[in-house]
Amino acid sequence: MIVINPLRARRFAEAMGHLEKTDRVDAKVLTVFGQAFPAFVAATPRTAFLNRLEDPLTVCAHCVAMRASLNQTFSIA
Protein backbone atom coordinates (compact mmCIF):
# COMPACT_ATOMS: atom_id res chain seq x y z
CA MET A 1 0.00 0.00 0.00
CA ILE A 2 1.30 3.43 -0.91
CA VAL A 3 -0.16 6.59 0.56
CA ILE A 4 -0.02 9.78 -1.52
CA ASN A 5 -1.60 13.18 -1.23
CA PRO A 6 -4.95 13.09 -3.09
CA LEU A 7 -4.32 16.58 -4.44
CA ARG A 8 -1.07 15.39 -5.98
CA ALA A 9 -2.88 12.53 -7.73
CA ARG A 10 -5.63 14.89 -8.92
CA ARG A 11 -3.09 17.36 -10.32
CA PHE A 12 -1.31 14.47 -12.05
CA ALA A 13 -4.60 13.41 -13.65
CA GLU A 14 -5.27 16.96 -14.81
CA ALA A 15 -1.76 17.16 -16.29
CA MET A 16 -2.56 13.98 -18.24
CA GLY A 17 -5.71 15.67 -19.54
CA HIS A 18 -8.21 13.69 -17.46
CA LEU A 19 -10.57 16.33 -16.12
CA GLU A 20 -13.38 13.91 -15.26
CA LYS A 21 -13.37 12.03 -11.96
CA THR A 22 -14.59 8.45 -12.15
CA ASP A 23 -13.38 5.23 -10.57
CA ARG A 24 -12.11 4.00 -13.92
CA VAL A 25 -10.14 7.19 -14.60
CA ASP A 26 -8.81 7.24 -11.02
CA ALA A 27 -7.57 3.64 -11.30
CA LYS A 28 -5.85 4.36 -14.60
CA VAL A 29 -4.24 7.57 -13.34
CA LEU A 30 -3.01 5.95 -10.12
CA THR A 31 -1.51 3.09 -12.12
CA VAL A 32 0.34 5.49 -14.41
CA PHE A 33 1.36 7.58 -11.40
CA GLY A 34 2.87 4.52 -9.72
CA GLN A 35 4.78 3.61 -12.87
CA ALA A 36 6.02 7.18 -13.33
CA PHE A 37 7.29 7.48 -9.75
CA PRO A 38 8.67 4.06 -8.73
CA ALA A 39 10.76 5.64 -5.96
CA PHE A 40 7.73 5.74 -3.66
CA VAL A 41 8.06 3.18 -0.90
CA ALA A 42 5.12 1.06 0.14
CA ALA A 43 3.80 2.05 3.54
CA THR A 44 3.12 -0.65 6.07
CA PRO A 45 0.22 -0.10 8.45
CA ARG A 46 1.34 0.86 11.93
CA THR A 47 -0.42 -1.65 14.14
CA ALA A 48 0.02 0.34 17.35
CA PHE A 49 -1.56 3.37 15.72
CA LEU A 50 -4.42 1.31 14.30
CA ASN A 51 -5.02 -0.32 17.68
CA ARG A 52 -5.30 3.11 19.31
CA LEU A 53 -7.91 4.04 16.72
CA GLU A 54 -9.98 0.96 17.47
CA ASP A 55 -10.38 1.76 21.16
CA PRO A 56 -12.40 5.00 20.74
CA LEU A 57 -14.49 3.37 18.02
CA THR A 58 -15.38 0.51 20.35
CA VAL A 59 -16.33 2.94 23.11
CA CYS A 60 -18.39 4.99 20.64
CA ALA A 61 -20.27 1.92 19.42
CA HIS A 62 -20.98 0.93 23.02
CA CYS A 63 -22.29 4.44 23.81
CA VAL A 64 -24.54 4.43 20.75
CA ALA A 65 -25.98 1.06 21.74
CA MET A 66 -26.51 2.25 25.32
CA ARG A 67 -28.23 5.42 24.09
CA ALA A 68 -30.57 3.39 21.89
CA SER A 69 -31.38 1.13 24.82
CA LEU A 70 -32.08 4.08 27.10
CA ASN A 71 -34.24 5.75 24.46
CA GLN A 72 -36.26 2.58 24.11
CA THR A 73 -36.58 2.15 27.88
CA PHE A 74 -37.60 5.73 28.65
CA SER A 75 -39.57 6.53 25.52
CA ILE A 76 -42.70 8.52 26.11
CA ALA A 77 -45.68 6.94 24.38
Side-chain angles (χ1 to χ4, degrees):
M1 174 175 75
I2 297 176
V3 179
I4 62 168
N5 184 339
L7 182 60
R8 179 180 246 182
R10 185 72 234 144
R11 296 289 186 249
F12 186 79
E14 290 171 357
M16 289 178 53
H18 296 290
L19 302 180
E20 66 277 1
K21 176 119 175 64
T22 64
D23 289 342
R24 185 175 295 218
V25 170
D26 287 347
K28 180 180 178 183
V29 167
L30 290 174
T31 301
V32 174
F33 186 91
Q35 292 169 349
F37 300 101
F40 281 103
V41 178
T44 56
R46 297 174 295 212
T47 56
F49 175 73
L50 294 176
N51 288 341
R52 283 193 324 218
L53 285 178
E54 288 177 359
D55 292 340
L57 292 175
T58 303
V59 170
C60 182
H62 178 69
C63 289
V64 169
M66 186 182 297
R67 179 180 175 204
S69 174
L70 289 172
N71 281 339
Q72 187 177 25
T73 303
F74 295 108
S75 65
I76 299 172

